[in-house]
Each structure stands twice: as structure tokens, then as C-alpha cells.
Amino acid sequence: MSNKASERLVPKLRFPEFRDSGDWCKTQLHEVALFVNEKVALENLSPERYLSTENLLQDFMGMVPSPTRPSAGSATRFKIDDVLISNIRPYLKKVWVAEIEGGTSNDVIVIRAKKEVTTKYLSHLLKSDLFIEYVMTGAKGVKMPRGDVELIKKFIVATPTKPDEQKKIADCLSSIDNFITAQIKKIEVLKVHKKGLMQQLFPAEGETVPRLRFTEFQSAPEWKEKSLSEISPVIFDGTHQTPKYTTSGIPFFSVENLVSGAVNKYISQESYDFDTRKNKPCKGDILLTRIGKIGYSKLVDWDYDFAVYVTLAVIAQSESFSSRYLHFYLQSSFYQREILSKSLLNAVPCKINMGSLRETKVCLPSDLGEQEKIGVSLASFDDLIALHTQKLEVLKANKKGLMQCLFPSTFEGDA
């Protein structure tokens, strides 16, 4: 390793067998890893061995093979155990340790460990929030920020001199990754079960009775198909005026933060009173995205005042339906096909007009008790998914905290 960056370091937390093994070394990433620039002709790559940023999954979750590749040109060659990092929107955390050999687009950085660090040790450094946060400090661009490769090369790497200690740290972090992966799989299984249950609890296309019906409703009448305007006489969208945002005040919802669940936009009380109060949603109403990501629904189950943008439609509650039932029906594949069929998919961004939205069809039982029971059953899945998602976030937070202890504080520092 280079002597110019060899400041000695000690982590806060160290495995007992290595407490007397001496201090760590501090160096820059490019001194312990090679930034690969070797090229391979695309014609020599099968589609599944070609990767672009679209193939790398967010949150360090791996990759999905590409069904196609560009017809001509070259790609950056990568080998097994190389670390691939998407350099477009680094905050998406698209980092993957290669399990195959292949080639990647120019928007993906390929990093290969040198002899000073073990491959697994380096991969844990780069598959971390600490590394991503560092990359974002030098990212350029607003809508599609890109990492600064020269700055990335200067990322500070703190390294124990003994490979055995590097391996111990990597094995420890790998075990936590295994817990995180198992937790993610639990959540995915729950989502699949919920989707399957929804297909059973709602009638199939062209049918008026679901395949699965609660015992007390076996003899109940067939379900009826109605338009949204028939069951809710009040369906409106939000303000068409782009507001002036404030740091606090009345929460303002658009597609972006409705889908993410983040309350991060606010308008003043004066703006709310003047322009948006007339379109005020109430508890029990349903919010539905109608521009961009069409058809995402959210049941208003809170009491505080808030305003909505024109990108959202509000379906006011009525005595004709259970809000919880309708919220889940709007999520079903049956309704998603319905709303897309009436949308302007060629528009940029795609959207559905309010008139067309009001004409979309929903299928529901006449008995509100049956509607509510279906809603409660599906809500229990959402509660379970939310619980396991919270556990997942705790695991991720614990890993991040552990890494801050397992690596010296200058791991996050500047060159």
C-alpha cells in the first residue's frame, strides 16, 4: 500500500482474537482496487451476460438478467467477484457483486479488489450506506445525478493488515445480510399470498361471484358491476395550481409522496384556506393517482388537514360502499386493467381524465358487511407486511450501526 495515506487507525469494536494485531491502514480506494476499463465486443456477449443500470436492482438486491443487448459496440468486461456500481442516481444503491462474467454499459463502474484487500471485505465496504452517502456528496446533476468517478477513487478505505481479520468482518456482515435477505423474502411471500387471496376474494373477469366467499355470505346475491360515479356522487381532483412550498404547515400530497408514504411537502395555512380547502379530502375518502403512476390508491385513515395536487383524485366515501373494501378492489388486477383501458397511455406523462375515471367499473357485493369483512381480511395482510417491513428496517439500521463500529471513523472521511 502507498505510504502517503497510511495513517494508523483502530475501530471502536474489534473481535477479541485481533485486539493485539496492530492498527489498521488508511488508504484511498484506487490504491486497493482496480477501476476496470477492459473492453469486450458486444457481439461476443449473450444477452444474459450484458448488464446496464436497468438490470441492477435497488437497495443492494442483486440483478436481473437482460433479455436483450445493444446490437453493436463494446462493453466493460467484468469477472466473477467484481463489484458493479450503477453511476446513475447512486442513491438507488444499485451495487452488485458479480456471480458471472460478462460486460456492462459505460454507466456502470466495475471495481476489482487488489491483493491488499479480500474480495468479500471490499464488497461490504462498497455495498453500504456509508459508501453511497460518500458518493452522493460529489454527485452532479439534479434529475439524474451521476457520481464523480475521480472522487469515488479517493474514497477512504480502512483496512486491517491481516487477511484473517478482514475475513472475520466480512463473514459477520454476510451473516447479517443473510438475515436481511430472509426478511425480504418473508415480505415478498406475504405480498404474493395477498395477491393470490385478492384474486380469490374478487370475482374473475366476466363473473359475478368470487371463487372464495365467507361462509355467512354463501347464499348472498351475486355481485354487481357499477361505475365509480354510481357509488360515489363526489369524485374530484386536487388543486391545479402549483403551490409555494413551505418548511412546515399543511401537508401537501402528490403522486410522489403518496406512493412513497413520505410527508415532505407543505403549504401555508393561508394558501390552504385560499385555494385548496374547497377540495379537502376527509377521513374515509380514497385517494387515487391519475397522472404518471396511474391507479395507486390510499385510504385516508388520518384526521389532520392536508391538501392534494391535480395528479390525485379523491373518491368521497358514501353509504354505497365500504371504503376499506373499495381501496383494496382498486388495487386488484381487475381494476388495474380497467383503469389502464380508459387512460391516455400515449400522453406524457400518461394520465386518465376525471370523466373517464368516473366511468371506470368496480364490482362489489350489495351487503356492506361482506365488503367490510373482505377489507378487514386484506388489511390484516397489510398489517403483517408493515410489521415485517419494520423488522427489515431495524435489521438494516443495526447493520449500519455495526459497520460504524467495525470500521474506524475515518472510513467515512475525505481523502
Side-chain angles (χ1 to χ4, degrees):
M1 290 187 185
S2 171
N3 292 326
K4 66 179 181 180
S6 59
E7 179 182 338
R8 311 303 286 183
L9 305 165
V10 178
K12 297 177 184 177
L13 181 65
R14 204 166 189 182
F15 293 101
E17 62 267 40
F18 300 109
R19 285 175 183 164
D20 298 323
S21 297
D23 298 340
W24 289 25
C25 292
K26 172 184 175 183
T27 189
Q28 295 180 356
L29 178 58
H30 71 92
E31 296 180 275
V32 295
L34 175 67
F35 282 66
V36 178
N37 197 32
E38 181 185 357
K39 298 298 181 180
V40 57
L42 287 170
E43 63 185 18
N44 295 329
L45 292 174
S46 59
E48 62 270 15
R49 291 188 178 274
Y50 173 79
L51 296 178
S52 67
T53 58
E54 287 78 12
N55 304 114
L56 298 177
L57 300 178
Q58 298 181 27
D59 296 321
F60 315 122
M61 287 306 298
M63 71 87 172
V64 290
S66 174
T68 61
R69 62 160 173 75
S71 58
S74 63
T76 303
R77 185 190 296 274
F78 64 85
K79 298 180 179 179
I80 294 174
D81 289 336
D82 285 350
V83 182
L84 277 57
I85 304 169
S86 172
N87 203 30
I88 297 179
R89 296 192 291 177
Y91 58 83
L92 294 179
K93 306 176 186 177
K94 292 185 172 185
V95 183
W96 178 60
V97 181
E99 299 171 0
I100 59 173
E101 293 187 356
T104 186
S105 67
N106 292 333
D107 294 321
V108 177
I109 301 171
V110 178
I111 297 178
R112 184 175 301 154
K114 295 181 182 178
K115 63 180 181 179
E116 291 88 352
V117 294
T118 64
T119 297
K120 287 188 176 180
Y121 181 84
L122 180 65
S123 70
H124 281 292
L125 294 183
L126 302 182
K127 286 177 57 179
S128 70
D129 289 338
L130 301 178
F131 173 69
I132 297 299
E133 289 165 5
Y134 172 83
V135 174
M136 286 304 299
T137 63
K140 297 178 174 63
V142 179
K143 291 186 177 180
M144 297 284 282
R146 291 173 180 265
D148 183 336
V149 176
E150 292 306 311
L151 182 68
I152 293 173
K153 289 180 178 180
K154 296 177 182 178
F155 176 65
I156 295 299
V157 176
T159 314
T161 56
K162 292 189 174 182
D164 286 349
E165 187 171 6
Q166 293 183 31
K167 182 179 183 302
K168 185 86 171 184
I169 293 170
D171 289 346
C172 173
L173 294 174
S174 293
S175 67
I176 298 177
D177 282 347
N178 291 338
F179 281 116
I180 290 174
T181 300
Q183 191 64 24
I184 291 172
K185 288 181 179 178
K186 285 182 183 179
I187 295 171
E188 291 304 314
V189 167
L190 285 170
K191 289 180 177 179
V192 169
H193 279 311
K194 176 190 169 185
K195 183 177 180 180
L197 182 59
M198 290 175 69
Q199 292 174 336
Q200 298 291 319
L201 289 176
F202 299 129
E205 188 173 355
E207 298 182 2
T208 57
V209 177
R211 299 172 189 172
L212 179 63
R213 205 166 190 183
F214 295 104
T215 305
E216 61 268 40
F217 301 108
Q218 291 286 347
S219 301
E222 295 181 349
W223 292 26
K224 295 183 179 180
E225 187 177 78
K226 296 183 178 181
S227 66
L228 280 182
S229 61
E230 287 182 276
I231 64 172
S232 176
V234 181
I235 301 175
F236 56 92
D237 58 5
T239 177
H240 289 228
Q241 302 297 320
T242 302
K244 180 179 180 181
Y245 298 123
T246 57
T247 56
S248 62
I250 304 298
F252 186 84
F253 292 171
S254 62
V255 171
E256 178 185 354
N257 53 335
L258 185 74
V259 173
S260 69
V263 181
N264 54 14
K265 294 180 180 177
Y266 301 90
I267 60 175
S268 67
Q269 183 70 50
E270 291 76 16
S271 178
Y272 174 70
D273 292 336
F274 176 76
D275 186 53
T276 61
R277 183 184 287 275
K278 61 180 178 293
N279 288 345
K280 176 189 176 184
C282 300
K283 186 175 183 179
D285 292 349
I286 296 172
L287 306 179
L288 187 69
T289 57
R290 69 178 197 88
I291 298 178
K293 182 180 174 63
I294 296 173
Y296 181 88
S297 66
K298 178 73 174 177
L299 174 63
V300 180
D301 55 4
W302 57 90
D303 293 307
Y304 58 79
D305 287 337
F306 68 100
V308 297
Y309 195 38
V310 63
T311 53
L312 302 180
V314 181
I315 304 170
Q317 60 183 318
S318 79
E319 295 180 353
S320 300
F321 64 88
S322 157
S323 295
R324 184 153 41 185
Y325 166 85
L326 185 61
H327 160 61
F328 285 112
Y329 187 84
L330 296 178
Q331 293 181 16
S332 71
S333 58
F334 314 117
Y335 184 77
Q336 291 298 307
R337 288 194 295 270
E338 169 73 3
I339 194 172
L340 286 177
S341 71
K342 291 182 168 60
S343 299
L344 302 173
L345 299 178
N346 292 329
V348 181
C350 59
K351 65 180 179 179
I352 182 168
N353 294 328
M354 289 300 296
S356 299
L357 177 63
R358 294 185 180 99
E359 294 173 0
T360 56
K361 302 293 185 180
V362 295
C363 193
L364 67 172
S366 57
D367 191 321
L368 288 177
E370 185 173 6
Q371 292 185 30
E372 187 60 22
K373 188 147 188 177
I374 293 171
V376 169
S377 298
L378 294 173
S380 65
F381 267 89
D382 278 356
D383 291 341
L384 200 54
I385 290 170
L387 176 62
H388 281 285
T389 301
Q390 289 174 0
K391 290 182 179 179
L392 175 62
E393 294 307 313
V394 169
L395 283 171
K396 289 181 177 179
N398 287 344
K399 179 186 175 183
K400 183 175 181 179
L402 180 61
M403 290 189 70
Q404 290 171 336
C405 293
L406 285 175
F407 299 100
S409 59
T410 49
F411 171 63
E412 301 176 74
D414 296 326

